[in-house]
Amino acid sequence: MDNLLNIDRLNKTQVEELIYLASSLKKDFPNINPVNPLQKKIILFLFLEPSTRTKTSFNFACSILGANVIDISPMTSSMTKGESFENTLKTLGSYPADALVLRSDENHHIDVAQNLLDFPVINAGSGTKSHPTQTLADLMTLKEQGLSIEKLKISIVGDIEHSRVARSLIEALNFFGSKINICAPEYFKPTDLSNISYFEDLSEAIKDVDVLMTLRIQKERIKKSKINFNEYSNKYMITGKIMNEFNINYLMHPGPVNEGIEIDRGLQDSSKSLILEQVKNGTWIRCAVLLKILLDGKS
Ligand code: CP
């Protein structure tokens, strides 16, 4: 692996290897051998959108592996003085860094970065299209429950149209042949996805599935919101009653969670919720990605 730009640039074997490595690191921690495998490596972070989970887990991963982090804050960078994304990247490319971890609201920025930089680029979430490390953490979480991804039946509910998490997950699940339902009101229905079954009606979408993943409404990506949140929640908010009535064993959400909108208050703490497992596994997946890119290179 020489970059991680999008999940579809990996193959099924690479996905499985990354999850295997992440699981081994999780099991071995704190006795990771060798100690500090990324000592003397310097990782640049450029997060142009807010992040709690992804940024913190990349930070933890670098700390666990002994790499140094240089975090470029957009608010105190010269981007606030009008420097373009391209020129910012050319500037960052002049430093002796070993990798860039990039989050951006623009779909094309990740490819621009890869074209401009001589060192590896790792996607920490780009626009509405791609969030590969979230997908790897989600697949690891499902495997930990003993679920077969090949036989998985999952329903993804919510703002699919603006969700990079949903797009990357669907791309990866398609490697494995999982059965994927998506459920959204017409205004969140995507037009660019294949090998999925679309339902507007929640009860149709969640019949006979093992896992339900619900998504946040991405208000920051919706230009003119015509959404009535009460109406949305009345139709699509996931409750404990729904989980029990439809006999669904696992609830996932990539976070951040808006309780009382897409998910009932308290449900993320229920025994069916894998939400904090997704967060925990994020650290180990990001360790695995950094190791594969920085130590294994193109192997
Ligand atoms: N799931 C996810 O990407 O969360 P953050 O925006 O907090 O990183």
Side-chain angles (χ1 to χ4, degrees):
M1 255 172 85
D2 48 4
N3 281 295
L4 181 56
L5 305 178
N6 195 8
I7 202 82
D8 69 2
R9 315 247 181 128
L10 300 178
N11 58 41
K12 189 177 162 186
T13 306
Q14 286 174 309
V15 168
E16 286 172 333
E17 281 174 3
L18 282 164
I19 293 171
Y20 181 80
L21 177 57
S23 302
S24 305
L25 292 163
K26 181 178 181 181
K27 185 163 66 62
D28 292 346
F29 183 76
N31 301 313
I32 289 172
N33 191 15
V35 176
N36 294 335
L38 297 186
Q39 197 172 21
K40 299 201 175 144
K41 300 285 185 192
I42 303 173
I43 318 294
L44 285 172
F45 282 15
L46 181 59
F47 279 71
L48 301 176
E49 273 192 334
S51 167
T52 299
R53 278 148 284 268
T54 311
K55 187 169 180 179
T56 307
S57 59
F58 268 114
N59 250 318
F60 262 93
C62 288
S63 184
I64 289 165
L65 301 174
N68 297 297
V69 172
I70 296 184
D71 183 12
I72 317 299
S73 160
M75 293 312 289
T76 53
S77 80
S78 288
M79 292 180 94
T80 58
K81 299 180 214 161
E83 190 165 36
S84 68
F85 176 75
E86 283 78 0
N87 285 338
T88 300
L89 267 283
K90 286 179 197 165
T91 303
L92 296 182
S94 308
Y95 294 103
D98 293 290
L100 171 73
V101 176
L102 175 66
R103 167 166 289 197
S104 168
D105 59 341
E106 294 287 346
N107 291 325
H108 68 285
H109 274 176
I110 194 76
D111 289 317
V112 172
Q114 195 249 333
N115 287 332
L116 288 174
L117 297 176
D118 291 332
F119 46 77
V121 176
I122 301 172
N123 187 342
S126 59
T128 57
K129 296 291 184 204
S130 182
H131 199 348
T133 56
Q134 177 70 44
T135 293
L136 292 165
D138 292 347
L139 294 179
M140 176 176 169
T141 304
L142 291 167
K143 277 178 170 273
E144 274 185 347
Q145 301 306 312
L147 293 165
S148 154
I149 309 294
E150 282 82 359
K151 293 184 188 152
L152 187 75
K153 291 183 271 182
I154 186 169
S155 190
I156 307 172
V157 178
D159 180 4
I160 316 274
E161 170 64 0
H162 303 102
S163 175
R164 56 191 174 213
V165 171
R167 278 189 179 72
S168 280
L169 182 62
I170 290 166
E171 281 172 6
L173 292 174
N174 279 331
F175 294 157
F176 294 87
S178 317
K179 182 179 180 326
I180 310 162
N181 291 347
I182 62 166
C183 178
E186 193 65 31
Y187 48 83
F188 286 150
K189 180 183 172 186
T191 51
D192 59 334
L193 296 175
S194 51
N195 299 327
I196 45 107
S197 303
Y198 166 74
F199 299 88
E200 188 170 357
D201 181 76
L202 181 67
S203 55
E204 288 299 315
I206 63 175
K207 257 196 301 205
D208 192 30
V209 298
D210 314 303
V211 178
L212 194 162
M213 177 181 280
T214 183
L215 302 169
R216 179 177 71 88
I217 297 177
Q218 314 244 328
K219 289 179 204 164
E220 70 277 25
R221 304 192 204 290
I222 303 170
K223 299 280 183 280
K224 274 191 190 162
S225 182
K226 286 177 251 159
I227 299 156
N228 178 325
F229 287 93
N230 283 337
E231 209 172 86
Y232 176 87
S233 296
N234 286 340
K235 279 190 172 172
Y236 295 101
M237 184 171 75
I238 307 305
T239 63
K241 183 167 176 281
I242 289 172
M243 294 294 292
N244 290 336
E245 201 174 304
F246 286 84
N247 210 16
I248 301 167
N249 290 324
Y250 302 104
L251 175 70
M252 300 180 85
H253 189 311
V257 167
N258 285 165
E259 287 187 294
I261 298 181
E262 72 270 10
I263 181 170
D264 205 2
R265 288 182 197 286
L267 189 57
Q268 67 167 329
D269 303 318
S270 77
S271 59
K272 292 188 174 192
S273 169
L274 299 178
I275 295 170
L276 293 181
E277 297 310 309
Q278 293 170 265
V279 177
K280 282 181 198 167
N281 288 334
T283 296
W284 305 109
I285 283 294
R286 280 135 192 153
C287 283
V289 166
L290 288 165
L291 285 173
K292 283 278 179 198
I293 291 175
L294 292 171
L295 289 190
D296 288 4
K298 290 178 193 298
S299 66

